[in-house]
C-alpha cells in the first residue's frame, strides 16, 4: 500500500505529464467563473494545484471564499486520465511573485489554488494492439494487481 506522500507524488507526476485540464466549479452561475480549460502552472507537496482561470467581467475582486471545484485531466492518445475533486480558492495577494500578474490582469484571468481532496485515476489499454500473450498475462496480473483504477483521498486535517 502506498503512503500519502507516494500517492501525491504519483498524481503530481501524472498531472505534470498532461498539464491541461477541464476546470468546473460546483457553485451557482452568478459566481462568474465559467467552466473552462486550464493549464497547470505548478503542483506542490501539500497537494495544491495552481492555475489561471478566466473570470467574466471585473468580478475577480468580489470572489473571496472557498468553493468546491473539479479538474479533469485528459489528453488524447494518453493511456490514462485523472478526475480530481477539492476546494478551490481565488488568490488575491498582490505580493505573489511566482506567477505573472500581467497575464491575470490583461485577460480577465484569476489565479486559483486548488486543494486535492479526492482523486480518481483511470488507465486504459488498447486490446487491439496487444498480442494474445500480452492480453492473457494482463488478465491474470489484473486479478491480483489491478492498477487500471485507483482512488485517492486527501482529507484535510482536523484543527
Amino acid at each position: 500500500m502506498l503512503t500519502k506522500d507516494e500517492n501525491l507524488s504519483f498524481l503530481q507526476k501524472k498531472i505534470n505529464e498532461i498539464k491541461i485540464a477541464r476546470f468546473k466549479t460546483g457553485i451557482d452561475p452568478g459566481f462568474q467563473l465559467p467552466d473552462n480549460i486550464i493549464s497547470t502552472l505548478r503542483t506542490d507537496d501539500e497537494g495544491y494545484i495552481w492555475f489561471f482561470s478566466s473570470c467574466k467581467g471585473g468580478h475577480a475582486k468580489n470572489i473571496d471564499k472557498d468553493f468546491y471545484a473539479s479538474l479533469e485531466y485528459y489528453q488524447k492518445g494518453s493511456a490514462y486520465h485523472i478526475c480530481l475533486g477539492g476546494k478551490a480558492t481565488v488568490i488575491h495577494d498582490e505580493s505573489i511573485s511566482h506567477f505573472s500578474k500581467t497575464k491575470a490582469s490583461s485577460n480577465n484571468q484569476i489565479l486559483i489554488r486548488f486543494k486535492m481532496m479526492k482523486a480518481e485515476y483511470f488507465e486504459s489499454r488498447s486490446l487491439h494492439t496487444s498480442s494474445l500473450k500480452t492480453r492473457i498475462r494482463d488478465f491474470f496480473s489484473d486479478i491480483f494487481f489491478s492498477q487500471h483504477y485507483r482512488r485517492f483521498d486527501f482529507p484535510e486535517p482536523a484543527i
Side-chain angles (χ1 to χ4, degrees):
M1 174 139 219
L2 296 176
T3 66
K4 180 179 176 181
D5 291 338
E6 290 170 325
N7 288 337
L8 186 57
S9 294
F10 172 80
L11 288 171
Q12 283 177 313
K13 178 181 172 239
K14 297 297 183 179
I15 288 168
N16 288 328
E17 286 174 6
I18 293 179
K19 286 218 177 273
I20 305 296
R22 182 174 139 212
F23 172 61
K24 240 180 127 171
T25 61
I27 51 180
D28 66 64
F31 197 58
Q32 305 298 328
L33 280 177
D35 297 351
N36 59 57
I37 305 299
I38 61 97
S39 178
T40 303
L41 297 172
R42 151 176 93 114
T43 59
D44 63 28
D45 293 333
E46 295 175 13
Y48 288 105
I49 299 171
W50 298 76
F51 58 90
F52 283 108
S53 177
S54 64
C55 182
K56 296 176 185 174
H59 300 286
K61 58 186 162 285
N62 300 328
I63 304 170
D64 62 352
K65 62 179 180 176
D66 296 336
F67 55 93
Y68 181 80
S70 64
L71 289 170
E72 297 175 26
Y73 284 87
Y74 172 80
Q75 183 176 17
K76 186 177 179 178
S78 178
Y80 60 91
H81 68 277
I82 302 168
C83 297
L84 303 172
K87 185 171 62 172
T89 306
V90 176
I91 304 299
H92 296 290
D93 189 356
E94 296 297 325
S95 66
I96 297 173
S97 60
H98 299 287
F99 309 105
S100 168
K101 295 306 273 185
T102 56
K103 178 181 178 183
S105 61
S106 65
N107 297 330
N108 289 328
Q109 298 281 308
I110 55 175
L111 181 62
I112 298 205
R113 180 183 68 190
F114 178 88
K115 173 66 173 164
M116 284 187 275
M117 297 177 83
K118 297 200 180 291
E120 294 180 299
Y121 171 82
F122 301 90
E123 189 174 294
S124 60
R125 293 190 205 164
S126 174
L127 293 177
H128 302 293
T129 59
S130 299
S131 69
L132 180 60
K133 179 181 175 184
T134 302
R135 283 188 260 168
I136 292 170
R137 184 196 69 216
D138 290 345
F139 172 77
F140 286 108
S141 66
D142 287 346
I143 291 172
F144 301 106
F145 307 106
S146 180
Q147 297 295 314
H148 300 301
Y149 172 79
R150 295 184 195 177
R151 183 177 172 94
F152 305 95
D153 289 317
F154 300 101
E156 290 198 40
I159 297 176

